[in-house]
Every structure is written in structure tokens, then in C-alpha cells.
Amino acid sequence: MLEKLLEGIEKPGRYINHEAGTKSKTLNYIGEHPGGHSLMKRILYSADGAKETATGIMDCSALQVPGKLSWLHLSGLSDTAVVRGIGDCLGLHPLQMEDIVNTEHRAKIEITDALLFSIVKHCTFSDAATHIEHVVIVLTAS
């Protein structure tokens, strides 16, 4: 009975990109900001300093530069094709990629032999509102 009453009710401002019958490997964005583009910024760190590059599309080799530490900052998770491309490059499990595009996912951490996968919430408070940001951190050995 309760399930029938709650059927079809969504939180205000919540967007679910979901079609009935989608495969489990399909990424569906869940969050407040549908549409838009992902913005990527790569920072390469070395003994000589840091070099920042804004980019739209990145191949896997750009994430792994010998002798340098790569930091990839991605803003805008609703473009699931970009998330899938980066996830494939990093060797993320499809369920981890689903967790990335679900901005309502609870905080968690997973540690495997290959990587550390963490979801945290960054909260800011003001007199007018509380803002909660979905932050995903993936650390790999390469």
C-alpha cells in the first residue's frame, strides 16, 4: 500500500535520466543539474612545477604521463559519456561509474589492489542556504 502511494514521487529539483528497461551498464545521471556540459581540467605535476590544461576530450594516454603526477578535475557529471570514458581509462567498475553519476549517493570508500575510490560530500553553509556538493576521488597507482 505504501509503495503504491509513493510511486512516482520525486524530490523537488531532482532529475533522473532513466528509461524503463535500460541495461545495468547504462549510466543514468541522478542529480539537480540536468543537461549542460562537463568541464575537464588536467594538471600535470613534476619536479619542475605544475602545468594546467583545460580540455574537452581526453584520451587515456593523457591521464598517464611518465614521471608526472596527473590530476583530473571534472565538473558536471550529467554528461555520462564523459564519465564512462574516464572510468574506462581508469579501469573503474561499472557500478563505481553508476555511483559517480548518482549525486545523491551516500559517502563511501572502497580500497582495492588497483585503486582507492571515495565519495564524499562537501558542505557549505550560509544564512541563506546549505549547499552540498558531490565529490568523487579516485586514486590509482599509475
Side-chain angles (χ1 to χ4, degrees), residues 1-10:
M1 174 93 170
L2 180 61
E3 290 174 358
K4 213 43 162 168
L5 291 171
L6 297 176
E7 190 174 291
I9 295 176
E10 296 179 7

Side-chain angles (χ1 to χ4, degrees), residues 23-123:
K23 297 178 183 176
S24 62
K25 291 185 178 181
T26 302
L27 292 181
N28 295 303
Y29 174 77
I30 300 173
E32 294 181 5
H33 305 289
H37 299 284
S38 295
L39 301 173
M40 281 190 285
K41 176 172 55 173
R42 182 188 68 176
I43 304 172
L44 291 177
Y45 295 94
S46 68
D48 300 330
K51 180 181 177 185
E52 184 176 319
T53 308
T55 183
I57 298 174
M58 186 175 298
D59 60 35
C60 291
S61 64
L63 292 175
Q64 300 170 349
V65 180
K68 297 187 178 186
L69 175 79
S70 297
W71 176 273
L72 180 65
H73 182 100
L74 176 65
S75 296
L77 300 175
S78 61
D79 188 346
T80 57
V82 172
V83 174
R84 175 158 317 276
I86 294 169
D88 288 343
C89 285
L90 296 176
L92 296 181
H93 189 278
L95 293 176
Q96 290 172 323
M97 288 186 256
E98 285 182 18
D99 292 347
I100 290 171
V101 297
N102 179 359
T103 63
E104 296 180 0
H105 199 287
R106 292 182 180 188
K108 73 178 201 176
I109 188 166
E110 296 175 3
I111 301 172
T112 67
D113 292 337
L115 58 85
L116 179 142
F117 178 83
S118 177
I119 295 176
V120 296
K121 300 298 180 182
H122 177 254
C123 302

